Amino acid sequence: MAEVTLEDVNKVYSGNVVAVRDMNLDIQDGEFIVFVGPSGCGKSTALRMIAGLEDISSGKVFIGDNIVNDLQPRERDIAMVFQNYALYPHMNVRENMGFALKLRKMDKGEIDRRVNEAAKILSIERFLDRKPKALSGGQRQRVALGRAIVREPKAFLMDEPLSNLDAKLRVQMRTEIGKLHNRIGVTTIYVTHDQTEAMTMADRIVVLKDGIVQQIASPQQMYDTPKNIFVAGFIGSPAMNFIRAHLERENGGYVAAFGSTRIKLTREAIGEHPDVGEYVNREVIVGIRPEHIEDARLVEITSDSDCVQVTPQVIESMGSEKYVYFSVDRELAAHTKSMEDMTAVGADGGGSTDDFGDLMVARISPESTVREGEQVKMAVEASKIHLFDPETEQAIL
């Protein structure tokens, strides 16, 4: 096992197309790091530079104490797992898993030991004599993982390994990969566009956009304190709601006003942050996660100032919860995320003040009797509100 370090790494293609810009990252020995972001953000390019499959335009990549910029992939002592499995169809599972060791001219007894041990870890012992065509997608992915395990590399690099699996199998394989990492403890770098995979699997998440690292943090920290609107909109499902509001002082505190709604910002939301005062009587972007909005009839509220009067337009019942989509006063709260944006944001994009639509979404209790077209009060958990600068899109707090 080894640490992996990137120092000022850049990748520029012909035509001055920048795929990765000034990437700095220290991955600890045994850590599970997930690169996440929309398509084209540079996450797979960064992984391929670490693997040696892409040349580095500038900067340094370390695996352990060694600079590996000029080393061939086979010399870096890493193992890659791809989304398409890349198994040899004419070989059985045992032969596929041991092939790389055979090329190294390793002793047959040692190859058998490693293959059998990996097969036991992955619960595929009974498939060792089968050809890939006789396996399901999940079983083939286990074989691909086993082929990586037997090499006993310094690091695993995984490029969207679950994207070819159906939804139920992806959930199962997420758990399997997590268990595998806990058992083996090898440094792992995992690429995905699925923020749910990132949140459930990572020790730390690296969010990228346009080749630039937006934030590096643990899943919980990323959720609680997103650094900017893009990260806030990308992490969480459904995506965070964004509203243009006016920040005002009131009774020694602060109020976010939009439309006919005035939400008092609690001390928990703003703390003692000195920068908040600079935004008084200015426009700010208020971020509210759907799970922090609830049918007011189901919670205790201390003031109507914590509520928004809405008329639901669409209600989606998920069994364990309901998604309620509603409009806000568009004249004064000019822009919130559209329904289409919220659907797409979890997979391919974060928030931006340029792509706000006109709908908000609340994730409420299934016990709510709210109906489409009937006006209802929605309670906002004011302590969970986020504030962003409308020009820089950076978090104010």
Side-chain angles (χ1 to χ4, degrees):
M1 296 188 293
E3 296 181 5
V4 177
T5 304
L6 283 71
E7 291 185 358
D8 299 319
V9 170
N10 291 273
K11 178 62 181 181
V12 183
Y13 291 105
S14 59
N16 201 33
V17 176
V18 179
V20 176
R21 186 189 301 274
D22 298 330
M23 190 171 187
N24 290 279
L25 180 61
D26 291 314
I27 302 172
Q28 300 301 311
D29 188 10
E31 192 171 18
F32 197 117
I33 287 283
V34 176
F35 292 171
V36 69
S39 299
C41 71
K43 56 188 183 293
S44 289
T45 301
L47 189 80
R48 290 172 65 84
M49 285 192 289
I50 295 170
L53 301 175
E54 290 276 2
D55 292 331
I56 299 168
S57 300
S58 63
K60 297 177 182 178
V61 173
F62 294 82
I63 297 179
D65 296 326
N66 301 317
I67 298 177
V68 299
N69 290 38
D70 299 323
L71 296 183
Q72 294 297 312
R74 64 178 180 273
E75 299 172 318
R76 300 190 181 199
D77 197 12
I78 53 91
M80 282 202 72
V81 179
F82 301 94
Q83 67 185 66
N84 61 358
Y85 319 133
L87 302 177
Y88 297 108
H90 63 286
M91 296 182 182
N92 63 26
V93 169
R94 186 186 302 277
E95 292 166 337
N96 264 286
M97 290 174 63
F99 186 66
L101 305 183
K102 186 177 179 180
L103 290 180
R104 294 182 188 176
K105 303 187 183 304
M106 187 174 289
D107 178 73
K108 186 178 183 303
E110 177 62 14
I111 294 176
D112 288 342
R113 183 192 69 79
R114 291 193 185 188
V115 168
N116 290 332
E117 186 176 313
K120 184 177 181 180
I121 290 172
L122 295 165
S123 300
I124 55 174
E125 301 106 310
R126 65 185 184 280
F127 306 133
L128 287 174
D129 295 322
R130 292 190 190 180
K131 297 286 181 63
K133 66 180 180 181
L135 303 175
S136 68
Q139 290 163 353
R140 292 180 194 181
Q141 194 57 274
R142 282 191 176 91
V143 175
L145 288 168
R147 185 175 52 190
I149 292 170
V150 298
R151 295 178 60 183
E152 298 182 358
K154 291 181 179 177
F156 289 141
L157 308 184
M158 301 187 184
D159 192 2
E160 303 204 41
L162 308 185
S163 61
N164 286 342
L165 305 179
D166 62 59
K168 183 177 180 180
L169 198 51
R170 279 203 303 271
V171 173
Q172 181 183 340
M173 286 304 299
R174 277 205 318 255
T175 304
E176 293 296 329
I177 291 175
K179 286 165 57 179
L180 176 65
H181 180 260
N182 291 337
R183 181 166 180 174
I184 298 176
V186 175
T187 305
T188 301
I189 307 172
Y190 186 103
V191 164
T192 182
H193 66 272
D194 185 337
Q195 57 96 7
T196 302
E197 284 184 20
M199 291 292 288
T200 55
M201 299 174 75
D203 293 324
R204 283 190 299 159
I205 299 172
V206 180
V207 177
L208 293 105
K209 177 191 177 189
D210 299 331
I212 299 172
V213 173
Q214 302 295 305
Q215 187 171 358
I216 303 171
S218 69
Q220 193 63 50
Q221 184 180 0
M222 194 81 70
Y223 176 87
D224 290 337
T225 56
K227 192 174 181 180
N228 56 38
I229 285 176
F230 178 82
V231 175
F234 199 93
I235 299 298
S237 180
M240 183 182 287
N241 301 292
F242 297 105
I243 310 165
R244 294 186 185 276
H246 198 251
L247 190 66
E248 302 173 4
R249 280 197 181 275
E250 184 175 279
N251 299 327
Y254 298 97
V255 169
F258 55 93
S260 58
T261 302
R262 297 173 63 81
I263 296 180
K264 185 176 181 180
L265 303 183
T266 66
R267 185 171 295 277
E268 291 90 339
I270 62 174
E272 300 292 342
H273 205 285
D275 293 342
V276 176
E278 298 177 10
Y279 288 84
V280 172
N281 298 323
R282 290 173 54 188
E283 184 183 79
V284 294
I285 303 297
V286 173
I288 308 172
R289 294 199 181 277
E291 51 269 40
H292 298 145
I293 306 173
E294 180 58 274
D295 185 338
R297 294 169 295 187
L298 301 179
V299 295
E300 291 186 16
I301 56 174
T302 57
S303 169
D304 280 350
S305 66
D306 295 335
C307 295
V308 183
Q309 194 85 20
V310 306
T311 303
Q313 297 179 17
V314 177
I315 300 173
E316 297 176 344
S317 178
M318 308 298 287
S320 61
E321 58 198 5
K322 291 180 179 178
Y323 295 166
V324 179
Y325 296 90
F326 55 89
S327 293
V328 294
D329 187 330
R330 195 162 180 176
E331 181 178 349
L332 294 177
H335 303 293
T336 62
K337 278 194 171 299
S338 71
M339 194 170 181
E340 292 79 12
D341 289 337
M342 288 185 287
T343 302
V345 75
D348 287 325
S352 169
T353 53
D354 295 328
D355 63 9
F356 294 170
D358 63 353
L359 286 179
M360 292 178 64
V361 58
R363 198 167 89 183
I364 68 173
S365 169
E367 299 172 1
S368 170
T369 57
V370 63
R371 294 182 180 180
E372 295 169 3
E374 293 185 1
Q375 201 171 66
V376 65
K377 283 184 180 179
M378 288 289 179
V380 176
E381 193 172 349
S383 64
K384 302 293 186 180
I385 280 178
H386 301 260
L387 296 181
F388 301 93
D389 186 299
E391 294 180 6
T392 67
E393 300 190 0
Q394 298 298 304
I396 293 172
L397 306 182

